[in-house]
Amino acid sequence: LLWWLMMRTPAEKLILMDLMNTNGLVRRELVDGTTVYEPDFGSIDRFLEHLFEQSPLRDEQLNVTVRNASTTVGIGQLVARLLTRSGIKVVTVGNSDEQESCTLRGSAKLASTQTVRFITATFPCAFVAASDVVEDLELVVGSVYARSVTDSE
């Protein structure tokens, strides 16, 4: 996912960080005596907590449900993490019936919000006006997005 996002970001907006100078990597010695460094995702999340947050998204305070409609385990959590780090409030992550495309559903009055524009541009999703959405917005991530992330790793 990080590689995919970097490819979509202009070079002048990228910031390189050395995680060796943070608590983001944990040193571990293997049985054969080799030393390896493994990511500590909790520490990395705390370190990056506000780096990617966009205040207009946070200020809208819209509640978003993320649904994984692909067969790739964990895509819903991955998307929720990206949204949360961007300032969007994700309240539920779950699964949905399988579908290829990505859709964002919500009230028609939310179509012009920063949150809707950010999500539809980031994931390329179509916005569908719907009155049966429990939260403000429901993002259903399909197989096309899941493949684009897993194929780039």
Side-chain angles (χ1 to χ4, degrees):
L1 176 64
L2 184 59
W3 178 88
W4 183 79
L5 290 172
M6 285 177 50
M7 295 305 296
R8 296 186 59 168
T9 304
E12 66 274 6
K13 295 200 177 213
L14 293 176
I15 300 170
L16 296 177
M17 291 182 207
D18 183 0
L19 291 178
M20 294 298 289
N21 296 324
T22 70
N23 293 330
L25 294 176
V26 177
R27 181 184 167 144
R28 192 169 71 103
E29 206 165 307
L30 300 178
V31 177
D32 67 358
T34 306
T35 301
V36 295
Y37 292 89
E38 296 178 334
D40 177 354
F41 293 111
S43 292
I44 293 171
D45 278 349
R46 286 188 295 282
F47 177 73
L48 300 175
E49 193 165 23
H50 298 289
L51 189 61
F52 299 107
E53 186 175 84
Q54 299 180 36
S55 55
L57 301 176
R58 182 194 64 235
D59 294 345
E60 284 182 332
Q61 297 183 356
L62 297 178
N63 293 328
V64 178
T65 294
V66 176
R67 303 264 182 238
N68 181 0
S70 76
T71 57
T72 306
V73 175
I75 289 294
Q77 290 292 336
L78 189 83
V79 168
R81 210 166 145 208
L82 176 81
L83 294 176
T84 300
R85 291 293 169 238
S86 300
I88 295 172
K89 184 179 177 187
V90 175
V91 294
T92 307
V93 179
N95 294 317
S96 183
D97 292 337
E98 193 173 336
Q99 68 182 47
E100 283 288 311
S101 62
C102 175
T103 56
L104 179 64
R105 301 173 66 240
S107 168
K109 68 182 180 182
L110 298 176
S112 62
T113 62
Q114 293 285 330
T115 303
V116 168
R117 285 197 294 264
F118 176 82
I119 293 172
T120 56
T122 302
F123 295 105
C125 290
F127 179 75
V128 177
S131 59
D132 63 338
V133 177
V134 175
E135 300 298 341
D136 296 316
L137 296 167
E138 179 183 63
L139 174 59
V140 181
V141 182
S143 301
V144 171
Y145 176 75
R147 279 192 304 272
S148 75
V149 174
T150 57
D151 289 347
S152 65
E153 293 177 347

